[in-house]
Amino acid sequence: MTANESKLDSIIDEYNAEPGSLISILQDIQAKYNYLPEESLEYVAQRLDISRVQVFGVATFFKAFSLKPKGKQQIHVCMGTACHVRGSKKVLEELERKLEIKAGDTTADGEYTLETVNCVGACALGPVVVENEEYHGEMTPIKVESLLNSK
Ligand code: FES
């Protein structure tokens, strides 16, 4: 999916093409496409009359923004200390093996994105894997199969 200028215009116009609204504009574009397509950043720079470097700088600075397409299922493996000591590395390795991608990547069919996070605040349940908004505690490599088949 690539950005379409009329959709971008409607977002940019909502903020009166104000350079001061750059972050809000990027948030809305990301909400629409699930990531920030590169051409959308070029277009925003042009419409707000600011440099590309500034727009790309903001887009890459905030962790909430992604310049790569994300999968429909977003899997976050907690690598915080409590989860790590309980074996989250093995869970991550099993997910990488099954999905045939590395952490930070998305499967070629656009189904899964695998990422690591530092402590999602449910340490007592560790190792924790969050699939979209859903928390899965006490994960083991064996449970990975049913996690992936549950959708
Ligand atoms: S370390 Fe994983 S939830 Fe806190």
Side-chain angles (χ1 to χ4, degrees), residues 78 80-83 119-123 128:
C78 181
T81 310
C83 288
C119 191
V120 291
C123 307
V128 177

Side-chain angles (χ1 to χ4, degrees), residues 11 13 21 29 43 65 78 84 97 135 141 144:
I11 292 171
D13 291 341
S21 300
I29 295 173
Y43 191 68
F65 292 135
C78 181
H84 188 80
R97 199 178 66 77
Y135 281 58
V144 162

Side-chain angles (χ1 to χ4, degrees), residues 1-150:
M1 187 180 3
T2 56
N4 148 327
E5 290 187 1
S6 68
K7 282 190 190 147
L8 295 175
D9 278 332
S10 66
I11 292 171
I12 296 166
D13 291 341
E14 237 177 84
Y15 295 95
N16 300 318
E18 273 287 335
S21 300
L22 176 59
I23 293 177
S24 305
I25 291 170
L26 296 183
Q27 279 171 332
D28 286 5
I29 295 173
Q30 168 135 324
K32 190 163 238 25
Y33 295 98
N34 223 2
Y35 79 111
L36 296 173
E38 195 170 329
E39 70 272 21
S40 73
L41 299 181
E42 305 272 358
Y43 191 68
V44 166
Q46 192 187 315
R47 281 280 330 265
L48 302 191
D49 198 20
I50 54 180
S51 75
R52 266 179 97 247
V53 172
Q54 197 177 340
V55 177
F56 277 79
V58 169
T60 51
F61 179 78
F62 293 100
K63 222 174 167 271
F65 292 135
S66 172
L67 271 65
K68 287 200 278 183
K70 298 268 187 179
K72 286 191 219 132
Q73 312 293 338
Q74 296 187 28
I75 299 183
H76 291 91
V77 181
C78 181
M79 300 300 280
T81 310
C83 288
H84 188 80
V85 296
R86 292 181 184 173
S88 59
K89 190 161 178 274
K90 290 250 176 302
V91 172
L92 176 65
E93 284 167 359
E94 182 65 5
L95 279 160
E96 288 181 330
R97 199 178 66 77
K98 283 240 158 25
L99 295 173
E100 299 178 350
I101 53 173
K102 289 284 171 203
D105 290 342
T106 297
T107 53
D109 61 3
E111 200 57 37
Y112 292 98
T113 294
L114 180 62
E115 280 173 341
T116 58
V117 279
N118 289 319
C119 191
V120 291
C123 307
L125 296 175
V128 177
V129 171
V130 184
E131 188 184 28
N132 294 338
E133 306 287 293
E134 208 176 310
Y135 281 58
H136 300 267
E138 297 171 359
M139 280 299 296
T140 63
I142 290 167
K143 288 184 184 172
V144 162
E145 174 104 49
S146 57
L147 174 85
L148 295 177
N149 292 333
S150 67

